[in-house]
Amino acid sequence: MPITGVDKTASTPLIALSNLGVSFDGVVALRGIDLAVMPGESLGLVGESGCGKSITWLAALGLLPARATVTGSVRLDGEELPRTKAALERVRGGRIAMIFQDPASALNPVLRLGRQVSEALTLHRGMTGSAARAEAKRLFDQVGLPDAARRLDAYPHELSGGQNQRVMIAMALAGQPDLLIADEPTTALDVTIQAQILELLQSLRRETGMALVLISHDLGVIAETCDRIAVMYAGRIVEEASADAFFAEPRHPYAVGLMAALPPLTGPRRPLTAIPGGVPEPWAMPPGCAFAPRCPRATPDCGIAVPPLTALAKDHAAACIRVTAPVWA
């Protein structure tokens, strides 16, 4: 079950995205994201490739290329986050850290691992020399790397994929972040190592109280790790709910389709139910609801206007005109 680590006394989100938009050379890729993460909370962000999950957080942290145009608001502890390079460099790796999908490409192949982690410690905590090396070893121990002292002098190619992912997590923890964004942290790992990495992230949340955003295609991973879930499709959030409410009854047809595509663990075997078609390209977005061309419940009205995210209950909202539950009051 998800860890209940949310700071219930906090009234201000740790980070809040408001009407966040991204376009590349005039082509809109992200279409007005409103999302908040409370201190200590774990948020799961799900959806197919191309829905905008990673772009959302790369945009928030100023990590997109120069040809990207970012609009909207990013507030950290209630204050607008400046988009200057100096301000973002103080936040990235310090207040907010990110684990990228592929540790093999994120780590420098020609630098020893200890030096790479020590660099993060120097930048964000002012540690140098033997103190930085000792802290790097402690971080390697904390993330469960065997023979941590020897790993400090190893190169990335000498470690397995799971071990390199642990190095990436250690590097992310070096700045003692308040928020950790994990972008598909178990993608290239086998099932056993996946479980170890997820348990590690849960353990670190218990020890440090940090908030977590977990980006994943795997609803099973999300179910085990997250308190709240946001479903993205074609650059928008189409459903947002507590984990309990979402897995009990997903409401948006896209979320229902994602759940139906999961193989059942009990009962008779049945064919998997695939969602027909694919995510539309940003330059070929259909009118109205972007999911309508793939939706088994679509009507002509679905192509008229983009449906807003509408509250269905205290902890559940969806963007679909066919959702008939009363608005919570």
Side-chain angles (χ1 to χ4, degrees):
M1 293 297 291
I3 301 169
T4 306
V6 182
D7 183 355
K8 299 184 184 299
T9 64
S11 58
T12 302
L14 173 62
I15 189 167
L17 315 181
S18 179
N19 198 29
L20 187 68
V22 174
S23 61
F24 295 93
D25 300 327
V27 177
V28 179
L30 209 63
R31 302 164 186 272
I33 299 298
D34 294 314
L35 198 60
V37 181
M38 300 301 290
E41 182 181 28
S42 60
L43 170 70
L45 204 55
V46 301
E48 294 167 278
S49 295
C51 286
K53 306 183 299 298
S54 299
I55 286 178
T56 296
W57 293 101
L58 293 174
L61 296 177
L63 292 172
L64 292 176
R67 68 188 186 92
T69 300
V70 180
T71 58
S73 169
V74 180
R75 300 181 71 86
L76 185 64
D77 286 336
E79 297 184 2
E80 189 70 23
L81 184 62
R83 299 195 186 277
T84 63
K85 181 179 179 181
L88 289 171
E89 285 181 347
R90 286 194 295 271
V91 170
R92 293 191 300 242
R95 298 292 309 280
I96 303 172
M98 191 166 184
I99 305 170
F100 298 98
Q101 287 190 32
D102 183 8
S105 62
L107 292 170
N108 191 320
V110 299
L111 294 180
R112 298 182 190 274
L113 295 170
R115 179 177 172 185
Q116 296 188 55
V117 176
S118 295
E119 181 180 6
L121 291 166
T122 300
L123 287 172
H124 301 296
R125 291 166 61 183
M127 303 177 72
T128 59
S130 59
R133 185 175 175 86
E135 178 63 5
K137 179 185 177 301
R138 187 193 70 81
L139 288 169
F140 280 7
D141 284 327
Q142 186 178 20
V143 300
L145 264 179
D147 200 2
R150 189 166 63 87
R151 302 297 185 189
L152 293 172
D153 294 317
Y155 292 95
H157 71 269
E158 298 179 274
L159 274 63
S160 68
Q163 289 172 335
N164 275 326
Q165 192 63 278
R166 290 174 188 269
V167 173
M168 286 295 299
I169 296 172
M171 195 178 300
L173 295 175
Q176 299 177 321
D178 298 315
L179 171 64
L180 179 63
I181 301 167
D183 187 358
E184 297 281 1
T186 61
T187 294
L189 307 178
D190 63 53
V191 175
T192 303
I193 304 302
Q194 281 187 27
Q196 293 175 4
I197 295 297
L198 293 173
E199 176 55 36
L200 172 61
L201 291 175
Q202 291 177 321
S203 172
L204 292 171
R205 282 191 63 217
R206 285 191 291 265
E207 294 173 10
T208 66
M210 69 181 179
L212 173 69
V213 172
L214 179 60
I215 301 170
S216 180
H217 296 91
D218 191 332
L219 287 174
V221 167
I222 294 293
E224 288 294 323
T225 310
C226 297
D227 306 313
R228 189 162 55 92
I229 295 169
V231 181
M232 289 192 69
Y233 186 78
R236 295 184 187 276
I237 292 176
V238 297
E239 184 159 356
E240 187 174 350
S242 68
D244 289 342
F246 178 82
F247 286 105
E249 187 181 11
R251 301 303 302 273
H252 192 279
Y254 179 58
V256 173
L258 292 178
M259 292 288 286
L262 293 175
L265 297 179
T266 58
R269 286 188 288 181
R270 59 170 175 77
L272 297 182
T273 305
I275 303 175
V279 180
E281 299 292 351
W283 56 85
M285 201 62 60
C289 175
F291 186 63
R294 307 174 68 188
C295 181
R297 300 178 61 195
T299 68
D301 291 340
C302 296
I304 296 176
V306 177
L309 196 65
T310 303
L312 308 177
K314 184 175 182 179
D315 58 354
H316 207 152
C320 177
I321 64 172
R322 296 295 305 276
V323 173
T324 57
V327 174
W328 170 72

